[in-house]
Amino acid sequence: VHRTGSIDLVTESDSRPGTRVERKERTRRAILDAALRLCEDSSLVALSLRQVAKEVGVVPTAFYRHFESIEDLGLALVGESFVSLRAVLRDVRRSDPTFEEIIDTSVESLLDHVDRQRSHFLFICRERFAGPPAVRAAIRHEIELAETELATDLEHLVTSMGASPWSGEDWKALANLFVRAMVSTVEAVLDAGDDGQAQKEVAERTRTQLRLVLVGALNWRSRP
Amino acid sequence: VHRTGSIDLVTESDSRPGTRVERKERTRRAILDAALRLCEDSSLVALSLRQVAKEVGVVPTAFYRHFESIEDLGLALVGESFVSLRAVLRDVRRSDPTFEEIIDTSVESLLDHVDRQRSHFLFICRERFAGPPAVRAAIRHEIELAETELATDLEHLVTSMGASPWSGEDWKALANLFVRAMVSTVEAVLDAGDDGQAQKEVAERTRTQLRLVLVGALNWRSRP
DNA sequence: TGTACATCAGTGAACGCGCGTTCACTGATGTAC
DNA sequence: TGTACATCAGTGAACGCGCGTTCACTGATGTAC
């Protein structure tokens, strides 16, 4: 006869172990993952509750035990997608790069996160304009927060390089420029898909662009 | 009794005048406009043929006299939307601005076109990531063409300002940076909606950003 | 100019299908005693 | 530890609705003679 271990495995694959709370959480997770996967080549607004339920392997009505609607599910996905995006900023900050390294470090970290959380970044790009109104609003809000966060980092960085003092408006414009560069790069990487060569070209082009912006910033005088 | 003119007007509002070809073209136009309006707050992938037909005031099956499918209609909308986008580049080129004017002229032209062809620009932003696969591919292709077009313009401009010679890669990177700035500005303006104050802030911020990039470009040395 | 015929944009009925949502339910898990 | 009851994630039938697509049609416009 077999060991207890193998019996556990069978139990695991058949009826799924854990407390009621754990099992509910696992189903919720499966719903979020299924939704992320299913809307990858269209949009939340074209995703049906029944498709999601079918993909997860539950009956359509079970969906309501976890979310009120697809829009509600979308808001949860916005939350966890921006955890992925913030992780990029956090990693760059933690690595505390020198002047010479800053661009290479940032681009590398960004591409690394995009590669590992591809569906989160795709989700943001797609639903930012095409999602249900509440989802669009949530994404816009999160992007503003990320911009503010980055503005602080940039102020420390550029000031430490001895650039001349800037106006508040100019800081905002620079932070916005970087956030846009980030979003655009994510878009380009996602466009490139699995093509490794294309991804390298995107990375190299992004580095060139960021260097160019940095040259501009270091030669900048506010209110010229 | 009334003049022939007024009888014509009645005829016009009742049964619509013109040859069969003209009337067909008018219906086609109405379908395109209705689709542009209806998908404004979701996406083509969530738009139904029946909604469009209802908005136009024809029976659903009449749709097939003009387009094979919603995707087919989408490709037609990509075509006319990029006519609007190209008009921006063309206007800037035709105005033949001096060094001092170039940024103000470009931003003004861009905002002017976005304001007048709002739904076309919204359509591109939205469907670029959320549209049906064929529509996404068509948009990507058109953006690449616009980038090439802009690269030529930029080369003339920056060279005429006496910057040092650049590598081909760097031209591509700069053109891409400007196209992205353009797309991002369009997105920001569309986000701002009808808020005139917010629109002015977006315009001012964009000008600051373009100046910063221009400062970078003029201080740039290829392969530093 | 008048007539007979062809074209074809738009009609309207019909189809099977997937949708969101309701409701009463089941039965394993959790809790109170 | 054992029992009786409460909770609640997931079930399954049913509903009315809008969907894309088919088909045979109508009747005004266009064309050939």
Side-chain angles (χ1 to χ4, degrees):
Chain A
V1 205
H2 293 293
R3 294 180 298 117
T4 309
S6 84
I7 290 172
D8 278 350
L9 277 176
V10 171
T11 307
E12 185 173 317
S13 64
D14 278 345
S15 66
R16 312 201 318 172
T19 65
R20 199 143 72 178
V21 171
E22 286 169 343
R23 299 218 263 160
K24 181 171 187 181
E25 176 52 30
R26 220 176 296 138
T27 305
R28 188 187 138 94
R29 192 62 257 153
I31 291 176
L32 289 166
D33 290 343
L36 219 38
R37 211 178 312 125
L38 286 171
C39 74
E40 206 155 287
D41 40 29
S42 54
S43 160
L44 266 189
V45 293
L47 186 64
S48 81
L49 177 159
R50 279 173 185 266
Q51 281 173 53
V52 177
K54 192 177 177 185
E55 177 85 1
V56 172
V58 294
V59 113
T61 45
F63 180 92
Y64 292 111
R65 296 282 172 204
H66 304 274
F67 301 99
E68 273 189 5
S69 62
I70 290 286
E71 178 170 308
D72 185 30
L73 185 159
L75 292 176
L77 288 176
V78 171
E80 56 174 56
S81 293
F82 272 91
V83 169
S84 295
L85 191 132
R86 274 161 201 292
V88 178
L89 297 182
R90 192 198 55 213
D91 277 14
V92 173
R93 206 179 303 122
R94 278 198 187 159
S95 73
D96 194 22
T98 64
F99 170 49
E100 290 79 15
E101 297 166 347
I102 180 70
I103 285 174
D104 288 352
T105 303
S106 302
V107 172
E108 191 187 334
S109 174
L110 181 60
L111 299 192
D112 183 50
H113 280 89
V114 170
D115 194 50
R116 285 190 294 160
Q117 300 291 341
R118 190 184 159 76
S119 50
H120 279 163
F121 286 88
L122 250 179
F123 178 82
I124 296 172
C125 289
R126 210 188 325 110
E127 308 305 331
R128 187 158 69 113
F129 283 92
V135 170
R136 287 207 301 257
I139 291 177
R140 195 174 312 164
H141 180 238
E142 291 280 1
I143 287 184
E144 272 170 30
L145 289 181
E147 210 170 293
T148 306
E149 202 175 320
L150 182 62
T152 310
D153 292 355
L154 283 174
E155 188 160 352
H156 291 149
L157 178 75
V158 177
T159 305
S160 77
M161 290 184 189
S164 52
W166 285 24
S167 73
E169 286 306 312
D170 287 357
W171 282 119
K172 280 161 70 178
L174 183 62
N176 182 265
L177 192 60
F178 271 90
V179 169
R180 288 178 177 189
M182 203 158 107
V183 171
S184 296
T185 298
V186 170
E187 292 173 354
V189 173
L190 294 174
D191 263 358
D194 293 334
D195 184 342
Q197 179 58 26
Q199 288 200 4
K200 280 183 186 171
E201 283 174 17
V202 170
E204 182 52 34
R205 196 178 58 192
T206 302
R207 279 189 286 266
T208 301
Q209 290 167 341
L210 292 185
R211 276 188 215 111
L212 198 144
V213 171
L214 197 57
V215 167
L218 295 174
N219 287 284
W220 185 254
R221 300 286 178 277
S222 270
R223 327 212 172 197
Chain B
V1 205
H2 293 292
R3 293 181 299 117
T4 311
S6 83
I7 290 171
D8 279 349
L9 276 176
V10 171
T11 308
E12 185 173 319
S13 65
D14 279 344
S15 67
R16 313 198 320 172
T19 65
R20 200 144 69 181
V21 170
E22 286 168 341
R23 300 218 264 161
K24 181 170 187 183
E25 175 53 30
R26 220 177 295 137
T27 304
R28 188 187 137 94
R29 192 61 258 153
I31 290 176
L32 289 166
D33 290 343
L36 220 37
R37 212 178 311 125
L38 285 172
C39 73
E40 206 155 287
D41 40 29
S42 54
S43 160
L44 267 188
V45 291
L47 186 65
S48 81
L49 177 158
R50 280 174 183 264
Q51 282 173 53
V52 176
K54 193 178 179 184
E55 177 85 0
V56 171
V58 294
V59 112
T61 44
F63 181 92
Y64 293 110
R65 295 281 174 204
H66 304 274
F67 301 99
E68 274 189 5
S69 61
I70 290 286
E71 179 170 309
D72 185 30
L73 184 159
L75 292 177
L77 288 175
V78 171
E80 56 174 56
S81 293
F82 272 89
V83 169
S84 295
L85 192 133
R86 274 163 200 290
V88 177
L89 298 181
R90 192 199 55 213
D91 276 14
V92 173
R93 206 179 303 124
R94 278 196 187 161
S95 74
D96 194 24
T98 65
F99 171 46
E100 291 79 15
E101 297 166 348
I102 181 72
I103 285 174
D104 289 353
T105 302
S106 302
V107 173
E108 191 187 334
S109 175
L110 182 59
L111 298 191
D112 183 49
H113 281 89
V114 171
D115 194 50
R116 286 189 294 161
Q117 300 291 340
R118 190 183 159 79
S119 50
H120 278 162
F121 287 88
L122 250 179
F123 178 82
I124 296 172
C125 289
R126 210 188 324 110
E127 308 305 332
R128 188 158 67 113
F129 284 92
V135 170
R136 288 209 300 257
I139 292 178
R140 194 174 313 163
H141 181 237
E142 290 281 0
I143 287 185
E144 271 170 31
L145 290 181
E147 211 170 292
T148 306
E149 201 175 321
L150 182 62
T152 309
D153 291 355
L154 283 173
E155 186 159 354
H156 290 149
L157 179 75
V158 177
T159 305
S160 77
M161 290 185 189
S164 52
W166 287 22
S167 74
E169 287 306 313
D170 287 356
W171 282 119
K172 280 161 72 178
L174 183 63
N176 181 265
L177 192 61
F178 270 91
V179 168
R180 288 179 178 189
M182 202 158 109
V183 171
S184 296
T185 298
V186 169
E187 291 173 353
V189 172
L190 295 174
D191 262 358
D194 292 334
D195 184 343
Q197 178 58 27
Q199 287 199 4
K200 281 183 186 169
E201 284 174 18
V202 170
E204 182 51 36
R205 197 178 58 192
T206 301
R207 279 188 288 265
T208 300
Q209 290 168 344
L210 292 185
R211 277 189 215 110
L212 198 143
V213 171
L214 196 57
V215 168
L218 294 175
N219 286 283
W220 185 254
R221 298 285 178 279
S222 270
R223 329 213 169 195

